[in-house]
């Protein structure tokens, strides 16, 4: 092997085996010309991660429609991620006005994107997670099957309320300084009972 000096010791540049294990172990042994030897092992087992992370779920689901404009977007990964790096790889088109707050939970490892402002009604959003997303191994496995792209569509604007002025309705002749009822009907399919009236 090629060794290089490091103070009182040596360094061996090792290409890590392509395996997945939580029980990797390194042992170094030295021998002198008189037949003596000494060995030392890594203090504890360490992990080797050779599997690329995957996105296992998104919420809202890919292709979902009628999504509330106040929704959060949740991306679930198959393993722990390099969180600061992965946050920078998530993009929305159209963009999120005012940005968003990112929070992580797990397990399972999930990133919640909470927009700072409401989404635009009746709009298709495309969410992309780029190939720069990586797991938390050193130096990081890149996201599998990347880039990953998902879409969802927000709800349409609510139906406008209706108003029908029934009196006066044309043809009346009212005397000044007298009292008469002004009457109307109104309805709204989205927020019945919560209408605000402006009479002028």
């Amino acid at each position: 092997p090629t060794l290089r000096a490091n103070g009182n010791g040596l360094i061996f540049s090792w290409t890590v085996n392509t395996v997945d294990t939580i029980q990797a172990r390194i042992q170094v042994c030295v021998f002198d010309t008189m037949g003596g030897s000494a060995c030392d092992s890594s203090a504890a087992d360490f992990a080797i991660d050779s599997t690329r992370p995957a996105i296992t779920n998104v919420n809202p689901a890919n292709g979902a429609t009628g999504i509330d404009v106040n929704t959060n977007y949740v991306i679930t990964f198959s393993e722990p991620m390099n969180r600061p790096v992965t946050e920078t790889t998530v993009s929305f088109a159209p963009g999120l006005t005012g940005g968003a707050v990112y929070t992580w939970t797990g397990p399972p490892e999930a990133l919640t994107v909470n927009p700072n402002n409401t989404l635009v009604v009746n709009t298709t959003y495309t969410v992309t997670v780029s190939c720069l997303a990586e797991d938390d191994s050193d130096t990081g496995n890149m996201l599998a099957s990347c880039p990953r792209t998902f879409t969802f569509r927000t709800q349409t604007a609510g139906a406008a309320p209706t108003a029908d002025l029934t009196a006066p309705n044309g043809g009346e002749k009212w005397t000044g300084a007298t009292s008469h009822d002004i009457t109307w009907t109104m309805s709204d399919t989205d927020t019945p009972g919560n209408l605000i009236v402006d009479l002028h």
Side-chain angles (χ1 to χ4, degrees):
T2 301
L3 304 175
R4 61 183 189 274
N6 178 28
N8 293 326
L10 295 170
I11 296 173
F12 172 64
S13 183
W14 176 46
T15 300
V16 180
N17 295 1
T18 306
V19 296
D20 288 299
T21 181
I22 59 172
Q23 296 178 329
R25 186 176 176 198
I26 298 292
Q27 183 180 63
V28 61
C29 292
V30 295
F31 305 88
D32 64 21
T33 57
M34 302 297 293
S37 65
C39 294
D40 190 28
S41 298
S42 50
D45 296 335
F46 65 94
I48 298 175
D49 178 5
S50 298
T51 301
R52 295 168 66 177
I55 294 175
T56 59
N57 190 56
V58 292
N59 188 21
N62 188 34
T65 59
I67 301 302
D68 190 296
V69 294
N70 293 300
T71 194
N72 294 334
Y73 195 79
V74 182
I75 307 167
T76 304
F77 297 91
S78 61
E79 62 179 286
M81 301 295 289
N82 181 331
R83 293 178 173 186
V85 169
T86 300
E87 289 175 13
T88 67
T89 69
V90 180
S91 63
F92 285 71
L96 301 179
T97 304
V101 174
Y102 298 86
T103 55
W104 291 86
T105 56
E109 184 85 339
L111 169 61
T112 299
V113 182
N114 181 6
N116 287 328
N117 292 297
T118 57
L119 303 176
V120 180
V121 298
N122 200 27
T123 299
T124 296
Y125 282 85
T126 300
V127 183
T128 301
V129 184
S130 82
C131 293
L132 296 178
E134 62 185 23
D135 65 22
D136 66 353
S137 64
D138 184 8
T139 58
N141 292 301
M142 183 175 65
L143 182 67
S145 304
C146 61
R148 296 295 310 276
T149 301
F150 310 93
T151 63
F152 67 92
R153 188 168 185 83
T154 54
Q155 63 194 20
T156 58
T162 61
D164 181 21
L165 184 66
T166 54
N169 199 27
E172 293 86 355
K173 186 176 182 180
W174 290 349
T175 302
T178 62
S179 178
H180 294 272
D181 290 336
I182 298 173
T183 61
W184 68 93
T185 61
M186 59 186 183
S187 66
D188 186 70
T189 58
D190 295 323
T191 56
N194 293 307
L195 296 174
I196 298 171
V197 176
D198 181 13
L199 183 63
H200 58 274

